[in-house]
Amino acid sequence: MFRRMGDAVVRHPVWTIVAWLIAAVAIAATAPSLPSSSDESSFLPKSYESIKAADLQEKAFPSAFTPSAIALFQRADGGKLTVADKRDVTRITEELGAKKIDEVQKVVEGQPSQDGRYTMTLVQMDSRNAGQPKQADAAKVLRDDVKALARGTDLQVKLGGSAAQALDQQDSSKRGEALIGIGTFVIILVTLLIIFRAPILAILPLILIGVVAVIANGLIAYATKLFDLQANSSISSILIVVLFGVGTDYFLFLMFRYRERLRAGDEPKQAMVNAVARVGEAIASAAGAVIIAFLALALSTLGFLKQMGPALAIAVSVTLIAGLTLIPAVVSLIGPRIFWPSKSWRKEPSDARFAALGRAVQRRPALTAALSGLVLVALSLGTLGYKATFDLASGSMPKTKESMVVQDEMGKAYSAGAAAPTDVYLSSKDGRPLDTSAFASYAQKLGAVDGVASARMTQTNKEGTTADFTVTLKYEASTDKALQAVGKVRSVAHREAPDGTQALVGGMSSIYKDIQAAVNHDYRTVFPVAAALIMIILGLLLRSVVAPWYLIASVGLGFGATLGATVWIFQDAQGHPGLMFMLPVIMYLFVVAIGTDYNILMIARLREEAREGRDPREAAGMALRHAGPTVAAAGFILAATFATMMLAGNSLLTEMGFAVSFGIAIAAFVMAMFFTPSLTALIGHAAWWPGHADRATAPPADSGRTGGTPVRDTAGRHK
């Protein structure tokens, strides 16, 4: 199949390129634009208690005051607020409300802090648009206006709250995307120049993947709109890296094999046909593993991950098709001139380092497997200290952003949970008015819960069928202690609810608690489903029942090593309270799926060498000699491109960038180069049971000077 595909593309390269360009223009011109949400409650399905509580609040208290933005005032000299300062705050609050800013429904003055150094102005916005760009725009106007109104006073004012966080997150995301894009471009360009010393070859993948990116982004926009998926600003940063990193991987897989076929004496166009025929199955299987792993995210209960899975699967699918059609078409038109001005492509270096590594694996496979396995196990020990943090807003931007400064200062000036109180909604089951005489006792029981600073009944709806009890926790909403406290609040609220009533607990800590439960569900669902589907792909590719088991086990060890190293660096060395909650899921999928890419490339080459009549150990050595440079180059580029995410300046992308780049480095330089080939050499022919995929076959039609394995001279050197 891949030979026929390669032959068709090489015979009609111009039509192939024109078809891609037409598709890019058409999709870019018609694709819908996507709003991005940073409202964490929108990531959860409606079956969770925090979402039910939010829906009840909308119905029972449609005009309830829930601030979307908080203007925090303090004196410029840091002293206590004077009477004149408080008058200025009152004036600013009134004038801000009179401006009738779009999305702003109400502006009221808040309570001063106990130490008298801070006070607030609270701004309510339309809750239906929480986290949407229009509220970020409103926050920008609010921030500018409130600072303008405070000029000429002794007051200093900063804007925080969810709307301001959405604005800061948006700005941070744009800066991060720019840095990631530039970093990715430079790394790919410089690395390819060093490897091939050919400027055309170095620039070409960036141009071609740019075309692929246009099509992929358009298709993602269509899919997101069609299936009503949740968009998020962090996904675009990840997409840049996936498209350019994975696209460059597939480009390298093809170019190394194309160069090998030219060295073997193939005519240039036939060399490309043979390259697609030989490496096409490995690329398709590798991409299939990545696509399947990403699609497994559709089983997630979190909207953020649900959208990320199909988006990344679409990106990799388009990249795969380009790798088997667009890239061969363009390269076949250029021919060997793509390697200009270098002439090293004409012959294989006689002192290749990878040949020496291959001989070492061939001679001592047991020692190689033991040492590489020991490295993976040792690093995996760090997973025992893993903790999660659930504050996506603060994880998505630097701590120096204004909204994050407000959050920190409010935690010190007020009760840490005051910025995001917990609400317990007590409702009548039969629609009759609640017995108000039970309110005081119920509030007292809620207030007695460990971790609660205060609890009081604040309002009832007009019918008297629902009461709102405001519970202020002692801890900031996203901390482990707050999550433990809100869990206890839920237990007491449900257990102590008066007869004929039911209680629902809402607020940010409740949302974080449900996100924690959702992530735990995803661990139990997404991980095994992705692993099982990847094993099926490996089984179909290798025609073996045995090999997929130790290949997926080695990748699992790579995941453990990656998570362990990330815990040690960020939690232990840098003192982070925990890693971002979705990191293990994303890490698992990237490391397992992309790690499998390199295993597939190496094991497919090992099988090819075995089919030439070599014993298992020699086949492993030759596979490392020929596929090692490809894996090393692809692994370095992909790891380095993911590392550019650390330039974004926020903890989410910094942790993700390190974890995935480290995981890919482990997959390429430990698993694929040493652990997998040495294990396969040790297991021998049994690795391919019940098939005989490694048995010698008659030389294919393209062997010798027109394909197959390079012709050997009497000394065993490749010509």
Side-chain angles (χ1 to χ4, degrees):
M1 180 182 83
F2 294 102
R3 176 171 294 282
R4 288 196 299 272
M5 182 183 296
D7 190 56
V9 167
V10 169
R11 277 192 290 110
H12 306 289
V14 176
W15 286 112
T16 303
I17 295 166
V18 168
W20 272 92
L21 292 175
I22 291 172
V25 172
I27 291 172
T30 59
S33 59
L34 288 177
S36 176
S37 174
S38 59
D39 176 22
E40 292 180 36
S41 65
S42 66
F43 299 156
L44 287 167
K46 295 189 179 297
S47 58
Y48 281 86
E49 181 171 351
S50 59
I51 306 305
K52 290 180 179 178
D55 291 342
L56 176 60
Q57 179 195 1
E58 286 285 327
K59 294 173 186 172
F61 307 105
S63 59
F65 190 90
T66 305
S68 298
I70 300 169
L72 185 66
F73 295 90
Q74 67 180 123
R75 281 185 61 83
D77 61 11
K80 289 190 176 184
L81 297 170
T82 65
V83 174
D85 294 332
K86 291 175 183 177
R87 279 200 301 267
D88 284 333
V89 171
T90 301
R91 173 186 59 80
I92 292 169
T93 301
E94 291 172 354
E95 291 184 21
L96 201 61
K99 285 180 175 290
K100 303 295 182 186
I101 298 168
D102 185 41
E103 285 292 306
V104 173
Q105 296 176 328
K106 193 183 294 184
V107 182
V108 300
E109 198 170 339
Q111 294 293 318
S113 61
Q114 286 185 346
D115 62 10
R117 296 177 187 275
Y118 294 88
T119 191
M120 299 181 290
T121 289
L122 308 175
V123 182
Q124 181 176 330
M125 296 186 189
D126 188 343
S127 60
R128 293 170 298 181
N129 297 325
Q132 297 299 328
K134 59 177 69 176
Q135 290 205 352
D137 295 341
K140 189 175 190 315
V141 176
L142 275 169
R143 183 173 281 170
D144 292 340
D145 286 355
V146 76
K147 289 184 178 182
L149 291 169
R151 284 196 195 106
T153 70
D154 294 326
L155 294 169
Q156 204 176 59
V157 59
K158 303 182 189 76
L159 191 76
S162 59
Q165 287 177 354
L167 171 64
D168 290 341
Q169 189 175 356
Q170 192 179 83
D171 292 342
S172 179
S173 177
K174 287 177 183 175
R175 175 183 173 275
E177 279 180 41
L179 288 171
I180 289 167
I182 293 167
T184 299
F185 186 93
V186 169
I187 286 167
I188 292 173
L189 185 65
V190 171
T191 307
L192 290 179
L193 279 171
I194 292 171
I195 293 172
F196 293 102
R197 300 186 207 57
I200 298 173
L201 192 149
I203 294 169
L204 186 62
L206 296 170
I207 297 170
L208 298 182
I209 296 165
V211 175
V212 172
V214 170
I215 295 175
N217 279 305
L219 293 177
I220 289 165
Y222 276 121
T224 304
K225 207 85 170 177
L226 181 64
F227 297 107
D228 194 27
L229 299 172
Q230 179 67 55
N232 184 270
S233 56
S234 297
I235 291 175
S236 53
S237 300
I238 300 169
L239 268 177
I240 293 170
V241 177
V242 169
L243 282 165
F244 281 89
V246 173
T248 304
D249 264 15
Y250 298 160
F251 179 82
L252 284 171
F253 289 0
L254 192 65
M255 290 310 301
F256 271 100
R257 186 54 74 101
Y258 176 60
R259 186 176 67 177
E260 184 180 321
R261 297 312 315 147
L262 289 173
R263 285 172 173 171
D266 288 1
E267 180 272 327
K269 289 191 179 295
Q270 188 60 41
M272 180 53 71
V273 174
N274 289 340
V276 174
R278 287 300 182 106
V279 85
E281 185 180 22
I283 291 176
S285 299
V290 178
I291 291 165
I292 286 293
F294 287 158
L295 284 177
L297 283 176
L299 299 173
S300 170
T301 50
L302 290 171
F304 171 78
L305 295 177
K306 265 184 182 293
Q307 197 270 348
M308 180 186 285
L312 296 179
I314 289 169
V316 175
S317 299
V318 178
T319 306
L320 165 64
I321 297 168
L324 297 177
T325 58
L326 180 61
I327 292 172
V330 173
V331 174
S332 68
L333 277 180
I334 300 172
R337 292 188 302 276
I338 196 171
F339 298 106
W340 177 88
S342 172
K343 293 183 172 57
S344 62
W345 64 271
R346 297 174 186 272
K347 58 182 180 179
E348 183 181 5
S350 58
D351 59 342
R353 297 183 192 90
F354 290 95
L357 289 175
R359 289 192 295 271
V361 169
Q362 181 178 338
R363 286 197 301 267
R364 297 185 178 85
L367 179 63
T368 304
L371 289 176
S372 53
L374 188 62
V375 169
L376 298 175
V377 171
L379 288 172
S380 297
L381 295 176
T383 59
L384 300 175
Y386 168 72
K387 294 178 183 176
T389 182
F390 296 87
D391 189 356
L392 186 59
S394 63
S396 300
M397 67 187 105
K399 297 291 186 184
T400 53
K401 284 289 185 181
E402 188 169 325
S403 58
M404 292 294 96
V405 173
V406 170
Q407 180 173 291
D408 291 342
E409 289 184 353
M410 283 191 66
K412 296 169 187 173
Y414 296 82
S415 168
T422 296
D423 290 287
V424 178
Y425 299 102
L426 193 65
S427 298
S428 169
K429 289 181 179 179
D430 55 12
R432 295 178 183 176
L434 295 168
D435 178 9
T436 58
S437 65
F439 287 175
S441 172
Y442 190 63
Q444 186 178 12
K445 289 172 182 174
L446 292 173
V449 173
D450 184 30
V452 171
S454 65
R456 59 193 176 90
M457 201 286 291
T458 51
Q459 59 183 331
T460 59
N461 65 345
K462 287 187 293 186
E463 297 80 11
T465 55
T466 301
D468 176 9
F469 292 79
T470 299
V471 178
T472 303
L473 303 178
K474 295 177 181 178
Y475 316 108
E476 196 275 318
S478 64
T479 60
D480 284 342
K481 289 183 177 179
L483 268 60
Q484 292 169 9
V486 85
K488 294 172 185 174
V489 169
R490 282 183 175 181
S491 298
V492 171
H494 297 160
R495 186 177 65 246
E496 300 296 338
D499 293 339
T501 68
Q502 64 176 4
L504 291 173
V505 180
M508 287 310 302
S509 292
S510 185
I511 288 170
Y512 293 138
K513 185 72 174 174
D514 285 340
I515 288 176
Q516 185 181 49
V519 170
N520 289 337
H521 165 271
D522 291 350
Y523 290 161
R524 296 190 299 271
T525 307
V526 175
F527 281 25
V529 167
L533 292 174
I534 290 172
M535 283 185 66
I536 290 171
I537 288 177
L538 288 170
L540 293 173
L541 169 68
L542 303 174
R543 284 81 167 170
S544 165
V545 172
V546 176
W549 284 99
Y550 69 81
L551 289 177
I552 204 71
S554 72
V555 175
L557 268 178
F559 165 76
T562 303
L563 181 57
T566 308
V567 167
W568 276 334
I569 286 176
F570 289 97
Q571 285 184 204
D572 298 340
Q574 296 190 15
H576 288 201
L579 302 180
M580 196 54 61
F581 67 90
M582 81 280 280
L583 187 64
V585 177
I586 295 171
M587 187 193 306
Y588 175 82
L589 293 167
F590 276 107
V591 173
V592 169
I594 295 175
T596 303
D597 267 17
Y598 302 136
N599 268 345
I600 285 174
L601 187 69
M602 185 63 73
I603 204 79
R605 185 59 190 245
L606 194 153
R607 179 185 63 182
E608 189 178 321
E609 296 294 341
R611 282 175 170 174
E612 297 295 332
R614 298 181 177 88
D615 65 56
R617 293 194 177 198
E618 186 186 3
M622 292 302 296
L624 182 53
R625 175 180 180 176
H626 290 296
T630 311
V631 170
F636 174 79
I637 288 177
L638 193 59
T641 52
F642 270 103
T644 61
M645 293 171 70
M646 298 172 71
L647 300 172
N650 66 68
S651 58
L652 170 61
L653 292 180
T654 299
E655 290 173 4
M656 193 183 299
F658 170 81
V660 178
S661 61
F662 185 85
I664 289 167
I666 287 286
F669 295 101
V670 179
M671 293 188 316
M673 279 200 199
F674 299 107
F675 196 62
T676 297
S678 58
L679 268 182
T680 307
L682 283 173
I683 296 170
H685 295 298
W688 308 95
W689 183 87
H692 302 286
D694 67 325
R695 301 298 184 181
T697 58
D702 68 329
S703 63
R705 299 291 292 178
T706 59
T709 299
V711 177
R712 291 173 159 241
D713 61 19
T714 54
R717 290 186 298 269
H718 287 260
K719 291 183 179 177

